[in-house]
Amino acid sequence: MATDLQVRGFGVKFSEAIDYLKGKLPETSQAHDDLAGPVHGKVYTLAGSTKTDLVRDIHNSITGALENGRTITDFRKDFDKAVQEHGWQYKGKRGWRTSVIFDTNMRSARMAGRWKQLQDGKDRRPYLQYRTAGDARVRPQHRQWNGLIYPVDDAFWLTHYPPNGWGCRCTVRAYSQADLDSKDLSVSPPFEMKTREVITRDGEIKDRVPVGIDPGWDHNVGQAWLSPEAALGQKLARLPRELQGIVTDKTITPAFEQVMNTNFKALRKPVEQGVKAVSEPAIAGYLDSATLNGLAQAAPDLALSSTAVTVPNARALGESSPWPVAWVDDLPSNLRNYRAVLRHKASGFLMVVPQGTIDGALPVATIRLNHQTKFGQAAQVVELGKATAAALGDAAAYDLLVGSLPKSVPAAD
């Protein structure tokens, strides 16, 4: 009888790892680092792919391999079939390319699933120890981390939870306090993280990652699966200010926008079912490069703590506003696909104007910047309302940061 601890094909098979792979949405991309690392927790990409159907076929094959205990030999047969069917001209030799795809996905799935298990059991075993494979192939920096012990919720694991690069075989071991005492182990001193800039061939900075971690891997694969919005927000906060908007623009793909909408609706669903609105803070979006550039011109002395846009209570949001429920449920899309963004000169609040109209008026999401939230200092939606085009067009009251306002609003779009 099959169990969740059945050894087949690639190490230990367990349901959390399978769920991790099954929950991804296919997305085309030219390179693995087209998207910020945390997005890969919910979006499946295939470097160099131009057809979503091709990506979906490879994703299904990888998921089936883990679910059914199939080997890389089995996967290569599916790979060859998909390549022939879709006419894909990929880079690299077949053996190398299939090994990278298979190994990367299997290790990431296993460690993501393991993270959920560690979170579920942290009351009993609240400490994690970094462990390498212990052979000559281990990277020098990873070897330096071998044996480090920190609480499971320590910030160290947000960036250094394995895998930490292509082909990384590192793992973790969980301990209780009794385990530490019996082995004469103790929590390591606070970790001093050093970072490096990732430079393009043209000499431009494209990323910033911790020393010892490959670009695109400076995130916790488990957190990126379970809390993708928070993981992406943390990644953006570690980037230089000039990169945050650029990375947001290319990272919030249609697939990841769908993930954000789905997660946001899931938080709000109890409201539709008549359940009392329990506090459910959430990240509903991130300020894009156009908005950030507009802010830099309108308020050059403003220093943003974070570009994440949060809500204090997803369930209660919009209860006393004129926004229809469906509009509130789609807040991540409405914040991203806006008509215009303005800044209220007196308060400094942002006014995001989504597409469409409500009862002949423009919908407006009012956002306070640098507000203390559950996620730290971040932007926060404080009101969902509506306004006339004439009122928002008052140049004495508002700076138009990006987009345009209609001269008049029709009864319906």
Side-chain angles (χ1 to χ4, degrees):
M1 181 177 179
T3 69
D4 283 346
L5 295 178
Q6 186 174 12
V7 178
R8 288 182 179 178
F10 193 96
V12 179
K13 169 190 173 183
F14 54 95
S15 60
E16 292 89 348
I18 296 170
D19 290 343
Y20 164 80
L21 280 179
K22 280 186 172 180
K24 292 191 176 190
L25 297 177
E27 185 80 80
T28 60
S29 69
Q30 289 301 312
H32 179 81
D33 60 358
D34 279 351
L35 307 181
V39 173
H40 291 282
K42 300 298 291 187
V43 176
Y44 187 87
T45 64
L46 194 63
S49 61
T50 58
K51 295 182 179 179
T52 304
D53 287 344
L54 166 65
V55 181
R56 184 178 292 109
D57 286 349
I58 298 297
H59 174 227
N60 289 340
S61 177
I62 282 289
T63 304
L66 181 60
E67 190 170 19
N68 301 311
R70 302 176 69 202
T71 66
I72 190 171
T73 301
D74 299 317
F75 168 69
R76 281 173 173 154
K77 294 177 183 178
D78 291 344
F79 178 86
D80 291 341
K81 180 180 178 181
V83 167
Q84 183 176 8
E85 180 177 343
H86 297 286
W88 185 32
Q89 299 295 321
Y90 58 88
K91 294 181 179 180
K93 293 183 178 180
R94 170 182 177 269
W96 170 83
R97 191 66 189 265
T98 52
S99 293
V100 169
I101 295 172
F102 190 81
D103 181 78
T104 299
N105 282 279
M106 291 300 180
R107 292 191 187 279
S108 295
R110 188 175 187 279
M111 291 306 295
R114 180 68 177 135
W115 179 254
K116 186 177 188 304
Q117 293 179 339
L118 293 167
Q119 286 291 317
D120 292 342
K122 65 184 178 183
D123 288 344
R124 293 178 291 106
R125 294 182 176 177
Y127 302 101
L128 299 183
Q129 182 184 53
Y130 195 99
R131 309 275 296 201
T132 70
D135 57 27
R137 292 169 53 198
V138 174
R139 295 166 170 85
Q141 293 94 340
H142 296 196
R143 189 175 295 115
Q144 293 176 10
W145 305 334
N146 188 52
L148 291 178
I149 298 174
Y150 295 104
V152 66
D153 290 329
D154 190 89
F156 174 80
W157 302 114
L158 296 179
T159 51
H160 289 68
Y161 180 80
N164 288 310
W166 299 103
C168 175
R169 298 164 295 145
C170 298
T171 186
V172 296
R173 176 175 292 181
Y175 288 114
S176 66
Q177 184 61 56
D179 292 333
L180 295 184
D181 294 341
S182 66
K183 298 177 182 296
D184 196 26
L185 297 173
S186 60
V187 175
S188 302
F191 184 76
E192 183 180 353
M193 185 170 67
K194 298 180 180 180
T195 61
R196 66 181 179 90
E197 310 291 356
V198 181
I199 311 296
T200 67
R201 292 179 179 178
D202 297 328
E204 297 182 355
I205 299 175
K206 63 178 294 187
D207 201 355
R208 175 185 288 167
V209 298
V211 173
I213 297 181
D214 291 350
W217 292 91
D218 56 328
H219 65 283
N220 179 316
V221 290
Q223 187 202 28
W225 169 40
L226 300 173
S227 304
E229 298 88 353
L232 177 56
Q234 292 159 3
K235 166 63 181 179
L236 292 173
R238 294 193 296 269
L239 291 175
R241 179 63 63 196
E242 62 272 17
L243 285 183
Q244 292 180 354
I246 296 173
V247 171
T248 295
D249 293 347
K250 70 177 185 178
T251 286
I252 311 298
T253 62
F256 194 70
E257 183 178 316
Q258 181 179 338
V259 168
M260 294 185 65
N261 263 357
T262 299
N263 289 349
F264 194 76
K265 288 178 182 178
L267 289 178
R268 287 185 43 77
K269 196 167 186 178
V271 173
E272 300 171 14
Q273 299 173 342
V275 178
K276 185 178 180 181
V278 179
S279 179
E280 290 282 0
I283 293 177
Y286 313 87
L287 302 180
D288 62 11
S289 60
T291 301
L292 293 174
N293 290 339
L295 269 174
Q297 294 181 16
D301 295 330
L302 175 67
L304 286 177
S305 299
S306 170
T307 61
V309 180
T310 69
V311 298
N313 190 339
R315 294 191 185 182
L317 186 68
E319 283 186 342
S320 59
S321 83
W323 282 34
V325 170
W327 282 55
V328 183
D329 285 347
D330 288 338
L331 184 64
S333 286
N334 282 321
L335 291 178
R336 179 163 178 76
N337 303 310
Y338 53 74
R339 182 197 298 264
V341 180
L342 303 94
R343 176 178 179 268
H344 187 251
K345 293 182 178 180
S347 66
F349 288 179
L350 292 185
M351 320 294 284
V352 177
V353 184
Q355 301 287 338
T357 61
I358 299 175
D359 299 328
L362 297 175
V364 179
T366 302
I367 298 174
R368 177 186 295 159
L369 302 175
N370 292 342
H371 185 66
Q372 186 59 44
T373 75
K374 173 191 174 182
F375 306 97
Q377 287 279 333
Q380 186 167 90
V381 177
V382 295
E383 184 182 8
L384 297 178
K386 61 182 182 178
T388 65
L392 294 176
D394 183 359
Y398 299 99
D399 289 316
L400 180 63
L401 303 185
V402 59
S404 62
L405 295 171
K407 293 181 179 180
S408 62
V409 179
D413 281 358

